[in-house]
Amino acid sequence: MGLKGFVEGGIASIVAGCATHPLDLIKVRMQLQGETHVPNPNLQSLRPALAFHTTSLSAPGSIHVPPPPLPTVAAKVGPIAVGVRIVQQEGVSALFSGVSATILRQTLYSTTRMGLYDVLKKKWSDPKSGNITLVQKIAAGLVAGAVGAAVGNPADVAMVRMQADGRLPQAQRRNYKSVVDAISRMASQEGLPSLWRGSGLTINRAMLVTASQLASYDQIKEMILEKGVMKDGLGTHVTASFAAGFVAAVASNPVDVIKTRVMNMKVEPGAEPPYSGALDCALKTVRAEGPLALYKGFVPTISRQGPFTVVLFVTLEQVRKLLKDF
């Protein structure tokens, strides 16, 4: 398929990414719930006299000032409540915060992985029958996902930061104007390596997502057609793609949670970073919030992964038909 496969995969990925961007933003916000290093603006605003106020006996006639109430931990809420709160506090447009980064990410990451997967699949298929085994499909997905993630990591970091910015106190927001502004400021303020922060996690997640998503779609689609359950059409594409989205969500969610937290962490000059790496982040997350924290945001993940995968493959099949003669 060559270059054509990259073009088809890129168009389908950009359409799917933009269509499901609000769901992805809600997922990121939910995955950041419960982080223990997030500054509490209420606590930071306490005056020293009140922050260290004691309840010792006071002199006669003095005015007793009660100590301020302890800051409460925000209750964890579901995806609908998170979405409503974003709209109420930040406006409807906030649901598309970082969409420019999504477009760049899909252009770099998904175009590469979709095109490379097709190239490898054709190269490894049997010359006579044209068939390829499930193991070979998974291997092609692992390779394609790793290469795509390495190429698209700067846009991925920018996207996570832009999506998460609204949850920070006003004074601590990065306020990136666009994905170009985000990448240029990260490079100048934090150094070029910051653009590949969490790249190991991004690559691991991309390998899992691509292998599970693309391989399972092809495999399920082939099974449906071979057994005559449905003909090759919209129904088959939707069924196979939704099943592939579920498989991808289950496989990738733990890595996605850790990736989101590592990419979003704010490192102050001279201060120790909240996480020293992926393993440290995973251990701290499990210790502080329990093992199920690794599946935090799973509902919005599957709510986004399902529609994303459906739109991705349905669009891909239509684009292939349109470009069939080119």
Side-chain angles (χ1 to χ4, degrees):
M1 189 170 272
L3 183 61
K4 188 178 173 184
F6 288 87
V7 173
E8 293 170 346
I11 293 171
S13 299
I14 292 170
V15 171
C18 291
T20 59
H21 184 82
L23 295 173
D24 193 46
L25 183 140
I26 290 170
K27 177 204 72 174
V28 167
R29 295 287 182 93
M30 289 189 70
Q31 289 176 338
L32 293 171
Q33 286 184 138
E35 279 193 296
T36 55
H37 67 269
V38 177
N40 188 318
N42 295 327
L43 189 60
Q44 289 178 333
S45 64
L46 293 178
R47 291 171 55 193
L50 295 181
F52 297 98
H53 178 78
T54 62
T55 55
S56 58
L57 292 175
S58 54
S62 64
I63 300 174
H64 174 73
V65 180
L70 292 174
T72 57
V73 179
K76 297 178 178 66
V77 293
I80 295 176
V82 170
V84 170
R85 187 169 62 191
I86 290 171
V87 172
Q88 289 176 338
Q89 295 179 355
E90 305 169 46
V92 177
S93 61
L95 292 174
F96 285 90
S97 296
V99 72
S100 60
T102 291
I103 293 172
L104 180 60
R105 178 178 180 268
Q106 297 299 339
T107 302
L108 298 175
Y109 159 64
S110 287
T111 300
T112 303
R113 74 178 182 118
M114 298 284 286
L116 187 56
Y117 175 77
D118 260 335
V119 169
L120 294 175
K121 197 171 67 167
K122 285 189 171 294
K123 186 171 184 177
W124 294 345
S125 61
D126 186 273
K128 296 179 181 178
S129 63
N131 295 332
I132 182 171
T133 66
L134 177 60
V135 173
Q136 289 175 314
K137 290 174 188 172
I138 293 172
L142 291 172
V143 174
V147 175
V151 172
N153 200 82
D156 207 2
V157 177
M159 183 185 72
V160 168
R161 290 191 174 193
M162 291 173 77
Q163 288 178 332
D165 212 32
R167 67 185 285 273
L168 295 173
Q170 193 72 36
Q172 297 176 27
R173 293 182 185 179
R174 299 178 176 101
N175 294 319
Y176 297 133
K177 297 176 183 177
S178 66
V179 63
V180 176
D181 179 50
I183 291 175
S184 61
R185 279 173 57 185
M186 278 189 280
S188 61
Q189 295 173 6
E190 304 172 46
L192 284 174
S194 68
L195 297 176
W196 275 269
R197 179 174 293 161
S199 58
L201 288 164
T202 306
I203 290 171
N204 288 335
R205 178 189 177 276
M207 290 171 70
L208 289 171
V209 169
T210 306
S212 57
Q213 187 185 64
L214 302 188
S216 60
Y217 174 77
D218 283 342
Q219 193 70 18
I220 293 167
K221 179 184 171 185
E222 287 173 13
M223 289 172 59
I224 291 173
L225 296 177
E226 284 175 6
K227 295 187 176 182
V229 178
M230 286 185 280
K231 294 181 180 180
D232 189 4
L234 185 61
T236 300
H237 302 158
V238 171
T239 303
S241 58
F242 191 83
F246 181 80
V247 173
V250 172
S252 65
N253 202 88
V255 178
D256 200 26
V257 171
I258 304 305
K259 175 185 79 77
T260 297
R261 294 190 172 194
V262 170
M263 285 183 169
N264 186 61
M265 69 177 176
K266 196 167 187 177
V267 182
E268 301 291 346
E272 186 177 346
Y275 308 119
S276 61
L279 181 60
D280 181 52
C281 180
L283 291 174
K284 285 180 178 177
T285 299
V286 171
R287 285 171 187 164
E289 304 166 54
L292 288 178
L294 295 177
Y295 275 90
K296 185 170 287 186
F298 181 74
V299 172
T301 294
I302 188 60
S303 298
R304 183 258 180 188
Q305 194 69 257
F308 175 86
T309 311
V310 170
V311 175
L312 173 68
F313 286 115
V314 169
T315 305
L316 180 63
E317 297 286 0
Q318 297 305 311
V319 171
R320 281 175 176 170
K321 288 180 182 179
L322 291 172
L323 300 180
K324 184 171 60 175
D325 298 327
F326 289 90

